[in-house]
């Protein structure tokens, strides 16, 4: 027998702009309203002829109570939601007029009670609401830092922010401070030196390039352990939006701007792996991929078509397959199934220190308030230190990586020769219709490496890129696909070529990297199951 859910609040209000009386019922999971021709039925759900609307609480992102114009003793409350319709989320607003009390004070008290209850249900459905009602407290508002790149993609970031992002954040009553970047590297410079004590989340209104800047800025701070745990959010306005796309895919959300904004407002947290990438001269941090060969050529050479958005990658891929190049080099990796905890798998003969990611991974990542308190405690303790220019000792221990000039442990696998491409990938997608790493999961502590040998022809390559839409390319005999903890890539530097980290070109030199499980956090609607 199905359990009947208990009503939390029930009332009769006019619904605007129709001015019809509606019976309104709030339960722990839904807001239901409607009424018949007489508008006075309080038996919602018992008569099939009634026009009934049900909004799930998990789809609500804000509510607001306010008084009417002078001379109107009624009060009003609005509820903002983002339900799913087919393949997208749609913003909706419903407004109710409260006039059941004889006094203006009584009506505003009723409206505020509804708003207070709805907001607490959004934040914590299991919370005992009685104390909040007695004390008339509201959930604490989060403070977001929003970085807008006006040059990303086809230059639409500023318009999207003002037309879509700002209205939803305002309806959710989130506090935010916006900064518009002025040049490449500007965001990284600001993040490196900025006081983040009052920041509950960093929202990036751009493509993957600005995400890369922000992550590297956070990781180069003296308080990097706390800074990298500040939740990140992405509004996809660039030509490459792989992080946002992968996150929406992993959480079962539609791939659209509204869904991305809704995830930031709801503010649940999911784990994000970060890969340290070491070159002969610097240490970088990547969240997306390291690409070599055809894929990196397309990334760099299609920059001239940036005004086309993501279509630039399709044009670049076709052009590069026609003018196919081949690259010599050596690709090494530590397979996922070869880690058994023994010393043979470690690059150094010591037990690696506990990374910040392990303590963060053990906590309940969906508990945003506890996560924020943990961050603030660590930031308070470290930010007062003077920032220096030497970051060689910062960041998590790369205990699986020997020095770049040293031999690799015997547990590593090595392939060498002539290739068309080779890519360690840390997310599921490199772009729309490019599921490069189909087994990739957020917070799994693994990378997917796929490579294609030089014996593969042009028609086979076109077929492979078509199959990347659903990840079936990894089942082709032309592709080698493995899961790994670490990699080393040594291109033949007597050739010219491109090496690209998260879409950013670096020197064409030997590099290596190790994945760090759950090092960062990403805001989302509902986190996927823990790995």
């Amino acid at each position: 027998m199905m359990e009947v859910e208990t009503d939390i609040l029930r009332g009769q209000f006019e619904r605007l702009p129709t001015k019809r009386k509606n019976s309104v019922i709030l339960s722990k999971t839904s807001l239901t309203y409607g009424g018949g021709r007489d508008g006075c039925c309080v038996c919602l759900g018992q008569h099939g002829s009634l026009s009934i609307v049900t909004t799930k609480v998990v789809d609500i992102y804000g509510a607001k109570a306010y008084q009417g114009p002078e001379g109107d003793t009624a009060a009003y409350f609005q509820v903002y939601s983002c339900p799913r319709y087919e393949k997208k989320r749609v913003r909706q607003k419903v407004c109710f007029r409260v006039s059941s009390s004889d006094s203006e004070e009584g009506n505003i008290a009723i409206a505020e009670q509804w708003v207070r209850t709805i907001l607490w249900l959004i934040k914590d459905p299991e919370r005992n609401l009685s104390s909040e009602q007695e004390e008339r407290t509201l959930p604490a508002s989060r403070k977001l830092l929003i970085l807008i790149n006006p040059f990303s993609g086809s230059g639409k970031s500023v318009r999207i922010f003002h037309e879509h992002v700002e209205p939803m954040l305002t309806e959710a009553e989130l506090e935010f401070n916006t900064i518009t970047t002025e040049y490449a590297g500007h965001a990284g410079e600001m993040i490196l030196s900025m006081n983040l004590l009052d920041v509950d989340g960093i929202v990036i209104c751009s493509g993957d390039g600005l995400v890369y800047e922000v992550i590297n800025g956070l990781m180069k701070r003296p308080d990097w352990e706390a800074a990298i745990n500040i939740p990140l959010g992405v509004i996809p306005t660039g030509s490459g939006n792989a992080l946002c796309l992968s996150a929406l895919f992993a959480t079962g959300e539609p791939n659209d701007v509204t869904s991305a904004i809704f995830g930031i407002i709801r503010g649940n947290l999911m784990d994000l792996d970060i890969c340290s990438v070491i070159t002969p001269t610097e240490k970088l941090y990547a969240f997306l991929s390291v690409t070599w060969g055809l894929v990196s050529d397309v990334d760099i050479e299609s920059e001239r078509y940036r005004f086309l958005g993501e279509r630039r990658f399709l044009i670049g891929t076709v052009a590069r397959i026609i003018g196919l190049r081949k690259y010599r080099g050596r690709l090494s990796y530590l397979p996922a199934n070869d880690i058994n905890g023994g010393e043979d798998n470690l690059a150094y003969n010591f037990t690696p220190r506990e990374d910040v990611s392990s303590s963060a991974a053990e906590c309940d990542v969906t508990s945003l308030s506890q996560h924020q308190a943990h961050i603030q405690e660590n930031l308070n303790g470290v930010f007062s230190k003077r920032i220096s220019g030497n970051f060689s000792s910062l960041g998590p221990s790369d205990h699986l990586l020997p020095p770049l000039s040293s031999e690799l442990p015997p547990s590593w696998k090595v392939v060498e020769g002539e290739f068309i491409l080779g890519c360690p990938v840390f997310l599921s997608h490199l772009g729309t219709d490019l599921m490069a790493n189909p087994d990739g999961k957020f917070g799994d502590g693994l990378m997917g490496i796929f490579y294609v040998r030089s014996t593969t022809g042009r028609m086979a390559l076109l077929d492979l890129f078509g199959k990347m839409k659903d990840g079936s390319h990894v089942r082709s005999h032309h592709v080698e696909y493995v899961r790994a903890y670490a990699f080393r890539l040594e291109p033949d530097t007597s050739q010219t070529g491109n090496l690209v980290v998260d879409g950013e070109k670096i020197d064409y030199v030997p590099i290596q990297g190790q994945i760090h499980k759950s090092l960062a956090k990403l805001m989302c609607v509902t986190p996927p199951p823990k790995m």
Side-chain angles (χ1 to χ4, degrees):
M1 183 176 178
M2 183 177 296
E3 184 178 347
V4 179
E5 194 169 36
T6 303
D7 300 339
I8 297 175
L9 292 175
R10 178 186 284 260
Q12 288 222 338
F13 313 119
E14 289 182 19
R15 178 159 61 99
L16 303 180
T18 66
K19 295 186 178 181
R20 289 185 177 179
K21 277 283 187 180
N22 274 228
S23 294
V24 186
I25 299 173
L26 178 66
S27 70
K28 186 171 284 190
T29 61
S30 64
L31 175 71
T32 303
Y33 54 91
R37 286 186 298 273
D38 58 0
C40 63
C41 181
V42 295
C43 308
L44 288 183
Q46 298 182 16
H47 303 285
S49 61
L50 299 181
S51 175
I52 299 172
V53 178
T54 298
T55 301
K56 298 177 181 177
V57 169
V58 294
D59 291 333
I60 298 174
Y61 64 87
K64 179 175 67 173
Y66 56 96
Q67 291 180 315
E70 186 176 353
D72 183 1
T73 60
Y76 301 79
F77 70 94
Q78 294 180 340
V79 180
Y80 308 101
S81 63
C82 225
R84 290 184 61 159
Y85 289 100
E86 297 180 351
K87 295 184 178 181
K88 62 180 180 179
R89 284 194 178 271
V90 178
R91 286 174 61 197
Q92 292 186 345
K93 176 180 72 173
V94 62
C95 181
F96 298 104
R97 183 175 185 267
V98 182
S99 58
S100 54
S101 174
D102 294 333
S103 67
E104 183 176 317
E105 293 78 9
N107 287 325
I108 193 65
I110 294 171
E112 288 177 346
Q113 180 189 26
W114 277 79
V115 167
R116 193 163 51 244
T117 305
I118 290 170
L119 293 179
W120 276 113
L121 282 175
I122 295 172
K123 182 179 178 63
D124 187 358
E126 302 304 320
R127 193 181 188 96
N128 185 343
L129 298 176
S130 58
S131 61
E132 275 71 25
Q133 294 294 7
E134 292 174 4
E135 298 174 10
R136 299 189 176 186
T137 57
L138 291 172
S141 178
R142 288 150 58 215
K143 299 176 182 178
L144 303 178
L145 170 64
I146 301 178
L147 302 175
I148 305 173
N149 179 5
F151 311 108
S152 64
S154 52
K156 56 188 178 182
S157 296
V158 175
R159 176 180 60 81
I160 288 177
F161 174 77
H162 289 300
E163 292 182 3
H164 300 281
V165 183
E166 187 173 25
M168 289 185 67
L169 296 184
T170 301
E171 290 167 350
E173 296 193 336
L174 294 181
E175 299 179 36
F176 57 91
N177 178 37
T178 61
I179 298 178
T180 301
T181 59
E182 299 175 4
Y183 50 86
H186 188 197
E189 293 174 3
M190 289 189 294
I191 289 294
L192 183 60
S193 59
M194 185 179 292
N195 187 340
L196 299 176
L197 290 176
D198 295 325
V199 175
D200 297 318
I202 300 173
V203 177
I204 297 149
C205 197
S206 182
D208 294 320
L210 200 63
V211 181
Y212 174 77
E213 280 189 36
V214 169
I215 287 177
N216 277 273
L218 294 171
M219 290 300 296
K220 292 176 180 178
R221 293 171 59 101
D223 57 354
W224 67 269
E225 291 179 294
I228 195 59
N229 266 274
I230 296 174
L232 303 176
V234 186
I235 307 298
T237 63
S239 55
N241 303 292
L243 177 56
C244 186
L245 173 61
S246 296
L248 293 173
F249 176 80
T251 55
E253 287 293 316
N255 179 26
D256 58 52
V257 169
T258 302
S259 296
I261 304 168
F262 184 59
I264 290 167
I265 292 173
R266 288 309 303 257
N268 289 309
L269 302 180
M270 60 193 292
D271 293 333
L272 176 63
D273 297 338
I274 301 294
C275 184
S276 56
V277 179
I278 298 172
T279 79
T281 58
E282 61 181 337
K283 184 175 182 178
L284 307 169
Y285 294 93
F287 65 92
L288 173 57
S289 65
V290 174
T291 58
W292 173 54
L294 188 148
V295 179
S296 60
D297 288 349
V298 169
D299 206 350
I300 298 304
E301 294 170 3
S302 66
E303 280 285 335
R304 70 191 76 173
Y305 310 121
R306 177 173 287 274
F307 65 93
L308 295 174
E310 282 197 317
R311 286 178 294 176
R312 65 180 256 218
F313 299 114
L314 174 60
I315 295 172
T317 298
V318 173
R320 184 43 50 220
I321 289 178
I322 293 173
L324 193 61
R325 299 170 182 162
K326 299 176 182 179
Y327 295 90
R328 295 185 300 273
R330 179 186 298 121
L331 177 61
S332 309
Y333 57 90
L334 179 59
N337 58 2
D338 278 4
I339 286 285
N340 58 26
E343 292 184 358
D344 289 344
N345 291 314
L346 299 180
Y348 303 103
N349 188 22
F350 68 88
T351 301
R353 70 172 176 85
E354 186 95 357
D355 289 338
V356 63
S357 57
S358 61
S359 60
E362 288 170 5
C363 72
D364 178 7
V365 297
T366 64
S367 178
L368 184 59
S369 58
Q370 292 181 7
H371 186 76
Q372 291 169 341
H374 172 74
I375 293 170
Q376 294 302 316
E377 180 181 349
N378 283 276
L379 285 171
N380 277 317
V382 184
F383 184 77
S384 59
K385 295 181 180 178
R386 184 176 183 272
I387 296 175
S388 67
N390 179 17
F391 302 106
S392 60
S393 62
L394 298 181
S397 168
D398 299 309
H399 63 280
L400 298 178
L401 300 177
L404 193 52
S405 59
S406 301
E407 291 186 6
L408 293 167
S411 53
W412 286 57
K413 306 297 181 185
V414 180
V415 290
E416 57 184 318
E418 198 170 52
F419 301 83
I420 291 175
L421 60 88
C423 303
V425 182
F426 319 128
L427 300 176
S428 59
H429 290 70
L430 287 177
T432 303
D433 295 335
L434 290 175
M435 190 190 294
N437 179 23
D439 294 337
K441 301 290 189 296
F442 280 83
D444 64 358
L446 294 170
M447 66 182 74
I449 300 176
F450 72 102
Y451 58 92
V452 176
R453 296 278 195 173
S454 61
T455 53
T456 305
R458 290 179 174 83
M459 293 306 297
L461 284 172
L462 285 171
D463 181 61
L464 287 177
F465 275 91
K467 290 179 177 178
M468 286 181 75
K469 184 174 183 178
D470 61 4
S472 59
H473 65 290
V474 299
R475 296 195 293 270
S476 169
H477 68 278
H478 294 291
V479 176
E480 293 292 336
Y481 175 62
V482 298
R483 302 278 282 156
Y485 291 100
F487 77 94
R488 178 182 287 181
L489 179 57
E490 300 168 276
D492 183 345
T493 55
S494 67
Q495 294 179 295
T496 58
N498 293 307
L499 269 177
V500 173
V501 177
D502 287 0
E504 304 299 318
K505 184 176 179 179
I506 64 171
D507 292 340
Y508 199 63
V509 292
I511 61 171
Q512 61 184 11
Q514 174 182 331
I515 203 81
H516 296 282
K517 179 179 171 67
S518 306
L519 194 61
K521 294 289 179 282
L522 197 64
M523 291 178 264
C524 65
V525 177
T526 304
K530 292 274 290 182
M531 299 302 300

